[in-house]
Amino acid sequence: MASETHVLNSPPPGAGPDWLIPQGWENYTDDEHDVWDTLYARQAKLLPGRASSAFLRGLEALRLSDRGIPNFEELSARLMQLTGWQVVAVPGLVPDDVFFDHLANRRFVSGNFIRRRDQLDYLQEPDVFHDVFGHVPMLADPVFADYLAAYGRGGQRALRLGGDKYLKYLSRLYWYTVEFGLIEEAGALRIYGSGIVSSAAESVFALDDPSPNRIGFGLERVMRTEYRIDDFQQNYFVIPSFEELLRVTVETDFAPIYAAVEAADTIRIAEIAEGDQVFTIGTQAYAAARAQAKLV
Ligand code: PHE
Ligand code: FE
C-alpha cells in the first residue's frame, strides 16, 4: 500500500525503531492457512493471460503455490538469491521515512495478519495476501526490484527536498505503478499492480470492463492525478516495459518535476488530459452506478 496514511506515530510495543516485528509464522491457525490457499487458488486460475509474464514467473520462482501462508524467512532466502530483496513483518502502515528506508535497503515490509474468511473480497488494510501475493512476485524481477529500491531512495530525497510536501506526488506514482499498474506486452494489456493481481474482481475489471480509462504512463501526468482508495480505479496507466519505467524514473531529476506539478492543476480522477496516449476512453458507468447507489 502507499504510505500516505499512518495508524500510529511511534513503534508499537514489541517493535524496534525500524518498526519490524516477528512474522510469528508458527502462530497461524489451520484456518488462516486455508484462507491463503482459497485466495491463492482463485487468483492462480484467473491470472494466466491477464498478469504480466514477470509476475507469473515470480510466482513460480518463489514457489508461492506451496500450501499455506509463506514463511518470510524461507521466502526471503529465495528472493535474496534472485534480486537481493527480503520480506519483513510490520504491524501495519509505518511512517514514510521508515518505509522509504526499508525499500531503499531492499526490505519489503508486509503485514503479518490475514483477512478473515468473510472478507475474501474486500479489505481496507493490506494483509499478508495483498502484501506477499500481490507485491512479492514482482520483486523477483530484477528490473522491477531495482525500480522499487530506487523509489525508496527517491522517497528519502523527496523528504530532504521538501519534508512532507512532495510525498503526495510520489504516492501517486506508487499508486499508479506498484499498486495499480498495467503493462503492454506483445500488443496486449496485462496487469502487474499488486492491488489488481491480489483482487479477483479487479483482475477482470482492470482489463475487460468498459468503465475505466486506460492511458499511457507519463511521469508528470501520473503525479498530477488523483486516485481513489475505496473502490476500483477509474484510471489505469499503461507502461511500455519495466525497463522504460525504471529508466524514466531513475534518469529524471524529480526536483524540478515536483515544482512543476505543484504549480500545475490537479487532474481530476476520470479526466482525459491534453497529450494523453489513450488506450481506452472509459464509459465510467461503473463509478457512476456506485455513486448513484450511495445516494439512495
Ligand atoms: N529520480 C528520482 C529523483 O530525482 C528518484 C526516483 C527514482 C523516484 C525511481 C522514484 C523512482 O528524485
Ligand atoms: Fe500494496
Side-chain angles (χ1 to χ4, degrees):
M1 271 288 169
S3 55
E4 74 283 3
T5 51
H6 305 135
V7 180
L8 303 162
N9 291 313
S10 59
D18 56 7
W19 287 66
L20 299 189
I21 58 170
Q23 181 190 10
W25 188 82
E26 53 294 337
N27 300 329
Y28 293 124
T29 65
D30 287 347
D31 196 52
E32 287 176 318
H33 286 301
D34 281 350
V35 168
W36 172 282
D37 290 344
T38 303
L39 290 163
Y40 185 93
R42 193 162 74 160
Q43 290 315 98
K45 219 159 92 187
L46 273 172
L47 292 181
R50 295 183 180 278
S52 146
S53 55
F55 180 87
L56 297 171
R57 270 198 308 274
L59 276 186
E60 286 289 316
L62 296 170
R63 306 218 327 253
L64 285 182
S65 61
D66 288 3
R67 283 215 42 189
I69 301 167
N71 181 319
F72 290 0
E73 279 178 24
E74 291 170 15
L75 183 58
S76 294
R78 283 180 217 129
L79 194 54
M80 178 63 85
Q81 282 220 319
L82 294 168
T83 58
W85 275 79
Q86 289 171 267
V87 180
V88 291
V90 287
L93 296 171
V94 302
D96 296 308
D97 59 333
V98 175
F99 181 68
F100 295 141
D101 179 69
H102 285 305
L103 294 185
N105 290 289
R106 296 188 175 244
R107 290 185 297 267
F108 188 77
V109 295
S110 169
N112 63 351
F113 75 97
I114 191 150
R115 68 195 74 181
R116 295 192 317 258
R117 197 167 278 286
D118 60 350
Q119 305 172 309
L120 287 193
D121 293 309
Y122 180 75
L123 197 70
Q124 197 96 49
E125 254 195 298
D127 72 339
V128 66
F129 188 76
H130 168 82
D131 282 336
V132 171
F133 182 92
H135 284 278
V136 175
M138 285 310 303
L139 293 175
D141 181 83
V143 178
F144 194 86
D146 284 353
Y147 170 64
L148 202 57
Y151 181 92
R153 294 193 300 276
Q156 293 174 322
R157 178 169 187 238
L159 285 173
R160 282 197 304 273
L161 287 170
D164 292 355
K165 192 163 68 156
Y166 300 135
L167 296 191
K168 179 160 114 189
Y169 312 129
L170 210 51
S171 295
R172 290 171 178 165
L173 173 63
Y174 190 91
W175 195 260
Y176 282 122
T177 59
V178 177
E179 293 286 345
F180 290 96
L182 303 188
I183 184 168
E184 191 173 19
E185 275 181 16
L189 299 188
R190 294 282 186 261
I191 57 185
Y192 72 89
S194 60
I196 312 177
V197 294
S198 63
S199 156
E202 200 156 355
S203 291
V204 175
F205 179 89
L207 292 177
D208 296 347
D209 202 279
S211 189
N213 299 327
R214 300 176 184 88
I215 302 165
F217 175 86
L219 202 50
E220 287 195 45
R221 168 60 160 98
V222 161
M223 287 199 190
R224 287 176 57 196
T225 308
E226 294 176 325
Y227 60 82
R228 56 189 305 166
I229 60 169
D230 61 328
D231 208 329
F232 298 151
Q233 298 306 301
Q234 291 179 247
N235 282 311
Y236 297 95
F237 289 95
V238 182
I239 57 168
S241 67
F242 296 114
E243 285 79 5
E244 181 58 18
L245 175 64
L246 179 65
R247 192 194 63 73
V248 73
T249 50
V250 167
E251 287 180 6
T252 306
D253 177 1
F254 280 24
I257 306 278
Y258 291 140
V261 169
E262 205 180 17
D265 290 332
T266 301
I267 301 175
R268 303 252 68 108
I269 202 144
E271 192 179 325
I272 299 288
E274 212 183 289
D276 278 350
Q277 178 204 355
V278 175
F279 287 80
T280 319
I281 298 187
T283 62
Q284 300 298 335
Y286 172 82
R290 294 281 284 191
Q292 191 62 34
K294 271 184 195 152
L295 296 177
V296 293

